[in-house]
Amino acid sequence: NRAGAKLSYEVKKYTLSLGARIRQVYANNHNLVSDSTLSQTVNNILPYLTYRYKFSDNKQLTLRYTTNSGQPDLNQLQPVPDNSNPNYIINGNPNLLPTYSHNFNLDFYTWALISGRHLWSSIGYTTTQHGFANDISYDSVGKTTSTPLNTEGNYNAYGYMGFGFPILDKVVEFNPGFN
């Protein structure tokens, strides 16, 4: 189930959009062998914000903040060991929490229609609360046991830039990019 609302304000060169989504995810699994039920209900408020400044019709700067959440799947939650490979046992973890990520992006684009030249660039940063990882252990004979768990301190940053321009009378376009 999901509902959301967004407000947008636009004046000349500025656009501001602010909104939030409210989401409920319900997972339910009934084990017929043990007659047990595993269920998880997660409610999230996912805010977002976008600010755009248009220097001109062909040049703009955008700042964006978004959030998202990822639920563990039922295989990760199921407390029954998966021993289909006796050398690699996978245990479930019914105490896993959903992830919650905060994403920040800054983008800049410019293009010249007549010449065909363009430049794009972006930097971003994401931090994730309760990220998923696997706790892996080995016994004395080399059997591996893996159990999913939540981790903290998950950060990701990126940047890229590219540009392009036509060559050979606009028959070929040169588009190098850097990450």
Side-chain angles (χ1 to χ4, degrees):
N1 302 313
R2 181 172 63 180
K6 177 171 97 171
L7 296 171
S8 291
Y9 180 72
E10 186 172 344
V11 175
K12 297 182 183 181
K13 297 182 177 201
Y14 307 95
T15 302
L16 178 66
S17 296
L18 176 67
R21 296 178 306 273
I22 298 171
R23 180 176 78 163
Q24 180 184 59
V25 176
Y26 177 69
N28 187 36
N29 186 15
H30 183 74
N31 186 326
L32 298 175
V33 175
S34 66
D35 196 33
S36 62
T37 300
L38 174 67
S39 64
Q40 187 179 59
T41 302
V42 177
N43 298 306
N44 293 114
I45 297 175
L46 304 169
Y48 57 93
L49 168 92
T50 302
Y51 172 76
R52 180 172 294 122
Y53 178 75
K54 291 179 89 173
F55 298 95
S56 63
D57 285 341
N58 57 351
K59 188 186 299 186
Q60 68 183 22
L61 180 73
T62 305
L63 174 65
R64 191 175 2 261
Y65 168 70
T66 59
T67 55
N68 56 17
S69 178
Q71 273 50 50
D73 65 37
L74 288 173
N75 289 331
Q76 290 174 308
L77 293 171
Q78 191 63 256
V80 178
D82 176 0
N83 59 3
S84 58
N85 178 351
N87 292 320
Y88 189 82
I89 306 296
I90 301 171
N91 292 315
N93 181 355
N95 298 316
L96 277 178
L97 299 171
T99 64
Y100 194 88
S101 298
H102 302 270
N103 312 295
F104 302 90
N105 303 87
L106 181 64
D107 304 318
F108 176 75
Y109 302 100
T110 183
W111 60 94
L113 295 176
I114 295 174
S115 69
R117 293 180 183 172
H118 52 277
L119 170 79
W120 65 96
S121 61
S122 182
I123 57 172
Y125 174 77
T126 300
T127 179
T128 302
Q129 299 167 296
H130 310 301
F132 300 135
N134 289 316
D135 180 20
I136 298 175
S137 62
Y138 306 93
D139 69 8
S140 62
V141 294
K143 181 175 77 173
T144 304
T145 303
S146 176
T147 304
L149 51 82
N150 290 114
T151 62
E152 296 302 327
N154 299 291
Y155 308 102
N156 180 38
Y158 71 89
Y160 67 85
M161 182 179 134
F163 60 94
F165 55 89
I167 54 178
L168 302 175
D169 292 329
K170 297 184 180 183
V171 174
V172 177
E173 190 170 302
F174 183 65
N175 288 306
F178 308 96
N179 291 312

